[in-house]
Amino acid sequence: MSTNALPQTHKALVQEVYGEPLVLKTVPTPQPPPGAAIIKIIYAPIISYMRDVYNGKRKYGYVTPLVPGSSAIGRVAATGPDATLIKEGDLVYFDCTIRGRDDSGALILMGLSRGIGDGSKALMEGEWRDCTFAEYTKVPLENLFRLDEKRLCSSPVDGGLGYAPDQLVWILQAMVPFGGLRSIRLQAGETVIVAPATGGFGSAAVVVALGMGARVIAMGRNSEELAKLKALGPRVETVQIVGDVEKEVESLKKFGRIDAFFDISPREAQNSTHFKSAILSLGYEGRVSMMGGFLHDVPIPHRYIMRQDITLKGKWMYSREDCQAFLGLMTTGVLDVRKIVKVVETFKLEEWEKAFDVAAEHGGKLGQLVMFTP
Ligand SMILES: NC(=O)c1ccc[n+]([C@@H]2O[C@H](COP(=O)([O-])OP(=O)(O)OC[C@H]3O[C@@H](n4cnc5c(N)ncnc54)[C@H](OP(=O)(O)O)[C@@H]3O)[C@@H](O)[C@H]2O)c1
């Protein structure tokens, strides 16, 4: 371990009181205890709905004072004494899904959500409170993934894939659907409905499912965004959400057998027809990955689910193994998103208000990224 490179203090965005404006502060830089590393944040993505998280509108459960944030791309600045693989200078993907080391069911989204239960609460109130909207962040070693920088970012002439490093931030958007699709064992050659498919995680789900070898039926309200998804290739079909279950089922069933449905509904879609239509379109032994953020109960077509042996699988985030498997898809080039992922704009920490607005406007669209470069 060498902590020589660490400055005594660094800049971080802090929310002192829940829902109140963020403040750029100079704070002490943590030292890396066993089991952790300090990373210098290079790119910290801003999710489309973060403005409404941190102004309190979405009522996310988190504690204050807090340094907000989520997953990020960084460089390892210092490691705890028990690091075995991660080394200073490594380019890493930090995943914000923190689990109890003695209870993997205790789960928080660092900087965003304290999850459910006392174990999760202890994680967020204690060691893992401050996240990535900062120059430096202390993170658990097991949440770091070394990126093969040479392979991913060097020029194709030199055997690389030619990604711009900031494009790698897209991993954050892709991991959520990958976790859900993997949890229902989506196979190459199967057909999956993604709905709604026109948002940030929804559009990423279409790209990820294609990369996993599936055919995708993208459902949504916005025909312009659906057309962009259709243009991804011949394995994408689109169906409009029209507010009529019968009509939607008819449109979906035109595409033959459907094996799976990936639900990524936002809370606003509580009364949308797509959830029921997608389930009623599944073939025998169809599977549903429920990753949507509904706040209230949604009715399910119980009899159809029973008669068709349908599996409903809830999923919050994903595992470390999922992350490793996903990075394999990216690093081998099996999943190639170089032409899909675009950085809309980058911001310094002090520009957080404008950054949140730009993310709200552009961050929820196919391949579009907004981020801090602290
Ligand atoms: N389980 C997990 O681990 C996990 C992780 C991350 C996120 N989530 C959840 O996933 C949700 C969606 O994420 P996102 O990035 O796609 O959000 P987003 O970028 O805000 O996009 C929202 C999507 O929902 C559609 N929509 C909005 N209101 C609708 C309505 N009334 N009826 C039908 N469709 C509607 C939008 O379609 P238009 O284009 O037509 O507006 C868009 O496709 C989040 O709200 C969050 O709760 C879950």
Side-chain angles (χ1 to χ4, degrees), residues 46-48 51 344-347 351-365 368-371:
I46 307 167
I47 301 165
S48 60
R51 181 179 62 192
V344 176
E345 204 168 342
T346 63
F347 293 93
E351 300 172 298
W352 64 271
E353 272 181 292
K354 184 165 179 228
F356 283 180
D357 287 345
V358 172
E361 195 181 338
H362 299 282
K365 305 244 162 55
Q368 296 198 353
L369 301 172
V370 180
M371 64 191 80

Side-chain angles (χ1 to χ4, degrees), residues 197-216:
T198 53
F201 291 109
S203 56
V206 175
V207 177
V208 169
L210 289 174
M212 292 168 82
R215 179 174 69 147
V216 181

Side-chain angles (χ1 to χ4, degrees), residues 47-49 58 60 109 173 176 195-203 219-222 225 241 263-274 290-294 315-318 363-365:
I47 301 165
S48 60
Y49 47 83
R58 279 198 165 226
Y60 268 40
L109 303 186
Q173 275 188 335
V176 167
T198 53
F201 291 109
S203 56
M219 279 187 94
R221 300 182 300 180
N222 183 331
E225 290 302 312
I241 299 175
D263 151 56
I264 189 71
S265 312
R267 59 184 62 188
E268 294 81 9
Q270 181 73 41
N271 298 315
S272 174
T273 41
H274 71 268
M290 300 196 298
M291 290 198 96
F294 290 126
K315 189 75 182 161
W316 196 28
M317 304 304 274
Y318 40 79
K365 305 244 162 55

Side-chain angles (χ1 to χ4, degrees), residues 57-334:
K57 204 169 151 192
R58 279 198 165 226
K59 297 194 168 36
Y60 268 40
Y62 60 81
V63 295
T64 49
L66 176 91
V67 176
S70 67
S71 304
I73 303 286
R75 223 170 257 291
V76 177
T79 62
D82 55 345
T84 50
L85 179 72
I86 301 285
K87 300 266 179 305
E88 247 182 84
D90 283 345
L91 185 72
V92 285
Y93 174 69
F94 159 63
D95 185 80
C96 73
T97 314
I98 312 271
R99 293 178 188 270
R101 286 173 169 152
D102 50 354
D103 175 12
S104 52
L107 192 163
I108 64 167
L109 303 186
M110 195 167 145
L112 266 172
S113 170
R114 119 183 119 212
I116 310 170
D118 290 344
S120 307
K121 194 162 165 262
L123 289 174
M124 188 175 247
E125 287 184 354
E127 208 58 20
W128 308 113
R129 175 181 289 239
D130 291 332
C131 202
T132 52
F133 290 174
E135 290 176 307
Y136 290 88
T137 306
K138 181 183 74 177
V139 298
L141 285 171
E142 65 271 23
N143 284 64
L144 290 180
F145 298 87
R146 288 170 87 203
L147 296 172
D148 186 341
E149 203 172 349
K150 190 163 179 289
R151 167 73 178 155
L152 287 163
C153 298
S154 66
S155 147
V157 183
D158 302 319
L161 293 168
Y163 279 103
D166 52 12
Q167 287 183 299
L168 301 177
V169 163
W170 185 74
I171 297 168
L172 162 84
Q173 275 188 335
M175 270 319 305
V176 167
F178 187 67
L181 293 169
R182 209 166 177 240
S183 76
I184 54 166
R185 297 188 173 80
L186 183 72
Q187 303 291 324
E190 288 192 324
T191 297
V192 59
I193 299 169
V194 172
T198 53
F201 291 109
S203 56
V206 175
V207 177
V208 169
L210 289 174
M212 292 168 82
R215 179 174 69 147
V216 181
I217 306 174
M219 279 187 94
R221 300 182 300 180
N222 183 331
S223 41
E224 211 176 298
E225 290 302 312
L226 285 179
K228 285 188 204 162
L229 293 169
K230 174 86 185 139
L232 286 172
R235 276 189 284 125
V236 182
E237 306 292 351
T238 59
V239 165
Q240 193 90 26
I241 299 175
V242 291
D244 180 325
V245 172
E246 233 172 86
K247 282 192 184 140
E248 287 168 8
V249 171
E250 196 188 323
S251 305
L252 288 163
K253 284 196 163 180
K254 278 186 192 143
F255 299 111
R257 178 180 161 91
I258 303 175
D259 304 281
F261 162 36
F262 178 70
D263 151 56
I264 189 71
S265 312
R267 59 184 62 188
E268 294 81 9
Q270 181 73 41
N271 298 315
S272 174
T273 41
H274 71 268
F275 188 74
K276 194 170 173 187
S277 313
I279 295 178
L280 288 174
S281 305
L282 291 174
Y284 183 66
E285 292 188 332
R287 296 99 68 201
V288 182
S289 168
M290 300 196 298
M291 290 198 96
F294 290 126
L295 279 189
H296 306 289
D297 294 350
V298 285
I300 55 164
H302 185 282
R303 192 163 181 76
Y304 188 83
I305 291 169
M306 180 274 284
R307 286 281 172 91
Q308 294 290 327
D309 281 20
I310 305 276
T311 301
L312 302 183
K313 174 90 173 76
K315 189 75 182 161
W316 196 28
M317 304 304 274
Y318 40 79
S319 66
R320 180 170 167 82
E321 290 68 36
D322 291 333
C323 281
Q324 277 162 330
F326 181 76
L327 288 174
L329 285 183
M330 289 274 290
T331 311
T332 52
V334 168

